Amino acid sequence: MTVLTLAAMVFIGFAAGLIGYITGLASLVSYPALLAMGLSPVSANVTNTVAMVAVGGGSIASSASELRKNPAQMRSLAVLAIAGGLVGSALLLLAPGSTFENVVPVLIAVAAVAILLQPRLRELPDVARLARFYPAGVFLVAVYGGYFGAGAGVMILALTLLATSEPLWRAAMLKSYVLGLANLVAAVGFAVFGPVHWPAAIAMAIGGFAGGWCGPPVVARIDAGKLRAVVAICGLGLAAWLARVWF
C-alpha cells in the first residue's frame, strides 16, 4: 500500500467518522472504499469493523461528560452492546456469507422512514409500548452491528428516538456508545481470527477517531428536522444500494 493510498484511507476514515456520527452511516463511506481497494467482502467487513472502533472511541471521548450523567443507563446499554457484539462477530466468523442479504435493506429502509416520521410516530398511543422492547432491540441491533454493521447506526437511532424520550442529539450519542462497544468486542475477535487488512484498518482508524471526536459538537448545532431528513435520505440510499443483490 502506497503512502498516497494510506493518506486517502485516513481521509476516508475521517469522513466516515464524521458522517457516521451525524447520520449513523459510517459504512456508507468506509465499506465501499475498502471494496474498491480490492478486498473481499468478508475482509472489507472485518477491516471496517476494526477501523470504526476508533469512531466510537472519538465520539465517546468527546461526549463523555454528557454520558456520565446517567451511569445506570450506560451500564445497561454496555451489557447489551457487548453481548450483542459477541454474538454478531461469532456469527460472521462461524457462518460468513449472505445470511442477512435479503432482510437488511428492508430493515434499513424502515428505520430511515421511522427517523423521518419520528415526531408524528411518537404521538401514536401504541408507540409508547415500544419502551419495554428497547433493551431487546438494542441487543439485536448490536448483534447485527457485530455481524455486518452497514446501517446499524440508522437502526439504533430510530429505535432510540421511538422507544425513549431522548432528543435527537443525545440519541446520536447513545447510538455511538452502543455501536462503539459492539464494534470493539467484534474487533477483538476479528483481530485474532479474521482477515483484517491492518494497514487500511489503522489508517482509517486514525481518521475515524478525529471524525468521531468532531461529531458531537457538529450535531449539537444542526437543526433536528433537517438532520432527520438527511439521515432518512442517506438511509434509503444505503438500503437501495444493498438491495442491488436482489436483481
Side-chain angles (χ1 to χ4, degrees):
M1 181 177 288
T2 66
V3 174
L4 183 60
T5 303
L6 286 173
M9 288 293 103
V10 172
F11 176 78
I12 290 168
F14 176 82
L18 185 58
I19 291 170
Y21 187 87
I22 295 172
T23 68
L25 292 164
S27 294
L28 187 64
V29 177
S30 55
Y31 183 66
L34 291 169
L35 290 176
M37 279 182 55
L39 300 185
S40 69
V42 171
S43 180
N45 188 13
V46 297
T47 301
N48 182 58
T49 298
V50 171
M52 291 302 100
V53 170
V55 175
S59 60
I60 290 171
S62 182
S63 56
S65 60
E66 178 63 34
L67 294 174
R68 280 197 296 265
K69 292 180 180 179
N70 193 338
Q73 181 188 40
M74 295 303 101
R75 286 193 295 268
S76 62
L77 289 177
V79 171
L80 294 168
I82 291 170
L86 282 170
V87 173
S89 59
L91 283 174
L92 179 65
L93 292 173
L94 296 175
S98 57
T99 307
F100 290 139
E101 269 187 358
N102 292 323
V103 69
V104 164
V106 177
L107 292 176
I108 295 174
V110 170
V113 173
I115 289 174
L116 185 63
L117 301 179
Q118 175 255 336
R120 295 184 180 180
L121 292 176
R122 266 190 181 175
E123 297 174 359
L124 300 176
D126 291 339
V127 171
R129 300 176 184 174
L130 288 175
R132 72 184 72 174
F133 301 111
Y134 182 61
V138 170
F139 171 75
L140 291 175
V141 175
V143 170
Y144 169 66
Y147 181 90
F148 181 51
V154 174
M155 294 180 193
I156 195 69
L157 194 59
L159 176 65
T160 302
L161 289 172
L162 291 178
T164 74
S165 59
E166 301 285 3
L168 182 55
W169 63 268
R170 184 169 170 83
M173 287 185 182
L174 297 180
K175 173 261 299 175
S176 292
Y177 177 75
V178 169
L179 294 183
L181 290 176
N183 282 343
L184 176 61
V185 172
V188 171
F190 296 157
V192 177
F193 301 107
V196 178
H197 190 290
W198 284 107
I202 293 171
M204 289 185 71
I206 293 170
F209 184 89
W213 177 275
C214 295
V218 171
V219 168
R221 290 166 173 78
I222 297 178
D223 177 79
K226 293 179 180 178
L227 181 56
R228 281 192 198 91
V230 170
V231 174
I233 292 170
C234 292
L236 290 172
L238 177 61
W241 182 73
L242 292 173
R244 74 193 190 284
V245 299
W246 295 347
F247 303 102

